[in-house]
Amino acid sequence: TGDWELSTRWTMEMNLPPVPFVWRPKLTFTGTSVMGINPATMKVRTHFDTWDAIDTQGFFLKSRSPEGVREVFTQIFDFTKQPDLETPTYQVLRRYADYEIREYHPFLVAETRTAAEGASRAAAGGMTGGGDGSNFNPFGTLAGYIFGQGNATGEKFAMTTPVFTSPGKMQFVLPSKYTDPSQLPPPKDGVPVNVTKVDGGVY
């Protein structure tokens, strides 16, 4: 990135010990390291790190900025994180103070339809009936498939997160040990469930 200068981008993840952190927080940091090379020795002579989540960079004591310490404690005491269920595999590319940029691997979903959304049904995520006078329940239909009542072999699958909802569609993520729709049992006759692959990408 400059004369005798080497820059790298990194993601660092830390799992804190269960004692005293019984809620088992996971910390994620992203940033860059800029290293100056001594041309005479070809060794690193300067090293400066930056974090994406803070504005005032530098070592905490030198910068006298509370941002880095605040970011650490914000992550440690974040009790709003997802439950301990499997979720699609991803790599954090950038972690900022208010959001993350992630690269997701492909994953499988079981999906079913939701009927045309009225305002009240949109607010409910399309989970409360068919919108056409029927009692079709998309969430219950997908739950029946993964719990065995709605698939042809009766196979049960572990719960995962999240549940995706969009106009006309609801999706449950399937466990990562399944990599192709052909590995999953078909739904029972009359059960409107389809298994499909979601391409990975950056979000």
Side-chain angles (χ1 to χ4, degrees):
T1 51
D3 292 339
W4 300 104
E5 181 182 273
L6 177 66
S7 297
T8 62
R9 170 156 286 281
W10 45 263
T11 296
M12 178 176 66
E13 295 181 343
M14 300 172 59
N15 292 296
L16 298 186
V19 179
F21 305 102
V22 294
W23 60 99
R24 302 175 66 182
K26 179 180 180 179
L27 282 60
T28 302
F29 306 93
T30 64
T32 60
S33 294
V34 181
M35 290 159 280
I37 308 299
N38 185 329
T41 63
M42 299 301 292
K43 295 181 178 181
V44 174
R45 64 179 178 183
T46 60
H47 178 190
F48 183 80
D49 290 330
T50 66
W51 290 11
D52 294 325
I54 64 177
D55 293 322
T56 304
Q57 303 294 338
F59 296 104
F60 299 155
L61 296 179
K62 288 185 177 180
S63 64
R64 301 187 182 277
S65 169
E67 286 182 280
V69 175
R70 184 171 63 244
E71 173 65 16
V72 171
F73 277 91
T74 295
Q75 293 195 47
I76 290 176
F77 295 102
D78 180 7
F79 300 113
T80 64
K81 292 186 176 180
Q82 65 191 31
D84 191 19
L85 298 174
E86 185 178 0
T87 192
T89 303
Y90 64 86
Q91 173 73 44
V92 177
L93 302 180
R94 304 281 195 281
R95 177 182 169 85
Y96 297 102
D98 299 319
Y99 66 94
E100 294 179 347
I101 298 176
R102 300 173 175 178
E103 182 175 15
Y104 278 85
H105 298 180
F107 56 93
L108 298 184
V109 296
E111 65 181 26
T112 192
R113 64 174 176 84
T114 58
E117 303 283 351
S120 61
R121 282 180 45 70
M127 296 169 60
T128 57
D132 55 3
S134 71
N135 291 320
F136 177 68
N137 182 340
F139 190 92
T141 298
L142 291 174
Y145 178 82
I146 68 169
F147 293 145
Q149 300 96 332
N151 69 65
T153 64
E155 184 176 355
K156 298 180 180 180
F157 308 100
M159 293 185 65
T160 60
T161 186
V163 174
F164 295 109
T165 59
S166 60
K169 185 185 299 183
M170 179 178 289
Q171 299 173 320
F172 280 15
V173 175
L174 293 169
S176 61
K177 67 179 182 179
Y178 302 103
T179 58
D180 188 270
S182 64
Q183 297 174 286
L184 280 297
K188 285 184 175 179
D189 290 343
V191 175
V193 170
N194 181 52
V195 175
T196 187
K197 177 176 285 189
V198 176
D199 292 331
V202 177
Y203 301 93

